[in-house]
Every structure is written in C-alpha cells, then in structure tokens.
Amino acid sequence: MPHELDVALDVFKDLFLGRLFATIYHPKDLPQTEHVEGKVFVVTGCTSGIGEETVKRLLLRGGTVVMGCRKTDVASSLVEKWAKEGTPFPIKDNATIIYVDLMSLSSVDDFCSKLLQRFPKIDVLINNAGLFDMVGKRTETGDGYEKHFQVNYLSPLIISIKLLDALSKSSDPRVVNVSSLVHQRTDADLDNWQVQTGYTPPTAYARSKLLQVVSTHEMQARLRQNEKYKTIQMYCLHPGTIPTDIARDLPDVIVWLYKNVATFFLATVSQGADTQLYVATDPSIPTQYPKGGDYFVHCTSSSYHPAANNVSLRLKLWEKTEEAIGYSLLQ
C-alpha cells in the first residue's frame, strides 16, 4: 500500500473511529500499582489534557512524579485536588513541581539541574509537552529557533540527553516521546527544517514532530553503542486526536464544531493518556520491543514515517542539531 494512502486511512480512523478503537484496543485500568509504586517519573506539560491525566493516574497508583511545567500554580492546585481523592499514597509528598519553559533553553538547563539535585535516579521520562499554534505567524524563540521546532523537538531532546545519567541508574529506564500522527504528513527536508520558507502552522508542527520521531531512532541507536546507557529504551507514540483546547484560537464556529460534534468520535482525554501510560509502565514493553524506537498508536506498535529508517538522514539531523546548539549531544 502506498505510504500516502496508508497515512490517509490512519487519519480517517483517528478522527472518526478514535473512541471506538480506544475502547477495543486499550488495556483496562492503566497503570497498575505494582508497575508504578516506588518509581520516579518525569512528565513535562502536565497541567492540562493528557499530561494532567497521566500525572494524576501515576500519583494515584503510588508513583513519584516530577511535574515539569510553566503554570506551577495550576500544578499545585491539581496536586491539592488529587490528594483529596482517597488514595492510600501520599500524593503531596510524591509530587514535585519544577518550573520549565521549553521555549527557553536556559530554563531547560535550570529545570534539569534542579531535578537532578532532587532525583539522582529516574525511571521514566515522558516528554509530553508540545506546541501547536494553529493560526499564529512564524515566530522564533529568544534562542533563535522557530517555536514549534524548539518546543516539540529541540528542548525534549536536550532534556532527554541531560537526564541520561539518572535514567541509567534505573533497572528499567525508558524515554517516552509524545509525537503525533501528523508527523507522517510532511517530509524530512533538513534544508528547511525550521520551515524558513513556505511556513504554515500545520507544516511547522508536523515537521517538528517528524524530527522528534527521526531523532528517537537515532538516539536509540547511539544509546545501544554506549556501555553506560545501552539499557535505556526510547519510544514514541501518537496519543490519539483528543478534544482538548488546541482549537481555541480558531473561528468560533470551528471551535463549537470541534467541541460539540467531534467529541462524539474522538478519543477522550482519559483514553489519550492510555498509550503513554502503557508504554511508560507496562513491564512487557522492553521484552516485546527490545530494539526500541517503536512508535505506538492505541497501545499497539504501529508504522511510522520511513525517514526514521534512513540512517544517513538520521545522522545528518543529529550533526545538524549539534552544530546548531554548539556542543556534542552524546559522546
């Protein structure tokens, strides 16, 4: 089947059969307490949507969670609320909130530094935070990168690199990159990797997510060759198309249709969190997918953009990224 047709079918299924597929294929009652209790999870972007749901369920099942977010006041309120839900676990003690803004690399550095001071060992990193400015113009961050590029690709990659030592101390270390189905709807044009020309918000978002998937495979290959980090498993996933506030900046009629019509077909926020909870906590994952780099949809390994299997392109992306930031990512 041609790649384009395959992608079109996936998009159709995600939009119109998302809730049905989630009901059929997602494991029930995720995560299990025995797979969470005593482990340290780092989750970025966790004050709304599937990030909020992910952190809540990890805490309620006994996990220790570092919440990396910009809205620390909202995170504090959420922890207070969850602590009243009757769980036997000390929610307030198990939740640590650390400010991070992925649009600022200095903020990313500060976040990682503070995190490692508190937690020298980490079991799972979930790079959940993301950006999709659906109507905005092309803008660059204070670091000089296109904003989707930095938030969706560069900052999560740097966080992953900086936390490798702490992850290597875990008996089951994992890095889970939350990507998107739309990564398959663009090309890996590294000469236009920040959409310097032909900019549209969907193109910028899709390309940043494709770079994330490609780099997941390249980083996994490099970790396998590193004696210290070879046990770390890298995965990426599409959580499903979820009725969150992502459409808030669109015309009112579109927002209304999105929230009142699309919700009958799209997966729920709870179902959207299932896949990353499954990939992050299910003990069978490393055995079933020992090579790493797998891409999951509805808690099932799925096809991804063929660019991720292009070794020379992966190398070029890695080297181009190192050149852009001015230092070596992984020796």
Side-chain angles (χ1 to χ4, degrees):
M1 178 183 297
H3 177 67
E4 292 78 7
L5 179 57
D6 195 15
V7 172
L9 288 174
D10 285 342
V11 171
F12 175 83
K13 289 187 292 185
D14 201 56
L15 290 175
F16 296 101
L17 300 175
R19 185 170 298 191
L20 176 63
F21 272 62
T23 302
I24 295 173
Y25 293 110
H26 291 198
K28 307 303 179 186
D29 203 27
L30 285 166
Q32 297 293 314
T33 298
E34 60 267 29
H35 305 154
V36 172
E37 190 175 5
K39 289 190 173 185
V40 177
F41 299 83
V42 178
V43 185
T44 62
C46 48
T47 55
S48 65
I50 62 173
E52 175 188 340
E53 179 71 13
T54 296
V55 170
K56 173 185 175 182
R57 285 156 69 177
L58 288 171
L59 286 170
L60 292 178
R61 293 302 172 91
T64 295
V65 183
V66 178
M67 302 172 66
C69 55
R70 291 182 297 115
K71 299 177 181 178
T72 55
D73 55 335
V74 175
S76 296
S77 297
L78 289 172
V79 171
E80 290 286 342
K81 182 176 70 173
W82 297 333
K84 299 175 183 178
E85 296 201 9
T87 175
F89 301 106
I91 300 296
K92 292 183 182 180
D93 293 336
N94 288 353
T96 297
I97 301 167
I98 303 178
Y99 176 85
V100 64
D101 181 358
L102 271 62
M103 282 201 188
S104 166
L105 294 185
S106 64
S107 177
V108 167
D109 289 343
D110 187 57
F111 166 73
C112 292
S113 177
K114 290 179 178 177
L115 192 164
L116 293 172
Q117 289 175 13
R118 293 282 306 274
F119 299 94
K121 188 194 87 167
I122 297 167
D123 294 284
V124 181
L125 166 63
I126 303 177
N127 284 310
N128 172 77
L131 170 71
F132 185 10
D133 185 348
M134 298 181 75
V135 296
K137 297 179 180 180
R138 186 184 188 280
T139 58
E140 294 185 350
T141 67
D143 297 301
Y145 303 104
E146 192 279 323
K147 60 187 176 183
H148 294 90
F149 174 90
Q150 181 163 332
V151 173
N152 297 337
Y153 166 62
L154 187 59
S155 288
L157 176 61
I158 291 175
I159 291 173
S160 300
I161 292 292
K162 289 183 176 293
L163 300 187
L164 285 178
D165 282 346
L167 284 161
S168 70
K169 297 174 183 177
S170 172
S171 60
D172 183 15
R174 307 182 195 184
V175 176
V176 180
N177 289 325
V178 180
S179 185
S180 170
L181 177 67
V182 301
H183 87 273
Q184 302 211 50
R185 297 183 63 81
T186 188
D187 57 80
D189 181 0
L190 297 188
D191 292 326
N192 193 29
W193 67 336
Q194 297 184 53
V195 199
Q196 305 94 298
T197 60
Y199 180 86
T200 66
T203 301
Y205 178 71
R207 185 154 299 154
S208 67
K209 287 299 186 179
L210 175 56
L211 297 181
Q212 183 185 46
V213 172
V214 172
S215 69
T216 298
H217 283 76
E218 179 61 20
M219 185 168 171
Q220 181 70 90
R222 288 172 180 262
L223 294 177
R224 285 288 182 263
Q225 298 171 8
N226 188 300
E227 188 63 29
K228 185 176 182 180
Y229 304 138
K230 65 181 182 181
T231 62
I232 300 174
Q233 297 285 105
M234 302 279 301
Y235 301 106
C236 46
L237 62 91
H238 170 58
T241 303
I242 313 298
T244 62
D245 62 352
I246 194 171
R248 62 186 178 275
D249 295 323
L250 294 177
D252 290 344
V253 64
I254 301 298
V255 173
W256 186 90
L257 288 171
Y258 184 72
K259 291 186 175 182
N260 294 280
V261 178
T263 50
F264 288 104
F265 306 101
L266 301 179
T268 65
V269 171
S270 178
Q271 290 171 333
D274 283 348
T275 299
Q276 57 202 60
L277 285 167
Y278 170 71
V279 175
T281 67
D282 192 284
S284 70
I285 294 290
T287 303
Q288 289 189 63
Y289 310 100
K291 291 179 62 177
D294 297 84
Y295 171 78
F296 292 82
V297 180
H298 290 306
C299 301
T300 303
S301 182
S302 185
S303 60
Y304 48 83
H305 199 295
N309 292 326
N310 185 326
V311 176
S312 63
L313 183 142
R314 288 180 357 206
L315 176 60
K316 183 178 179 181
L317 171 62
W318 194 268
E319 292 177 342
K320 189 177 179 73
T321 302
E322 290 182 326
E323 181 181 356
I325 61 177
Y327 60 86
S328 176
L329 286 166
L330 181 61
Q331 300 295 335

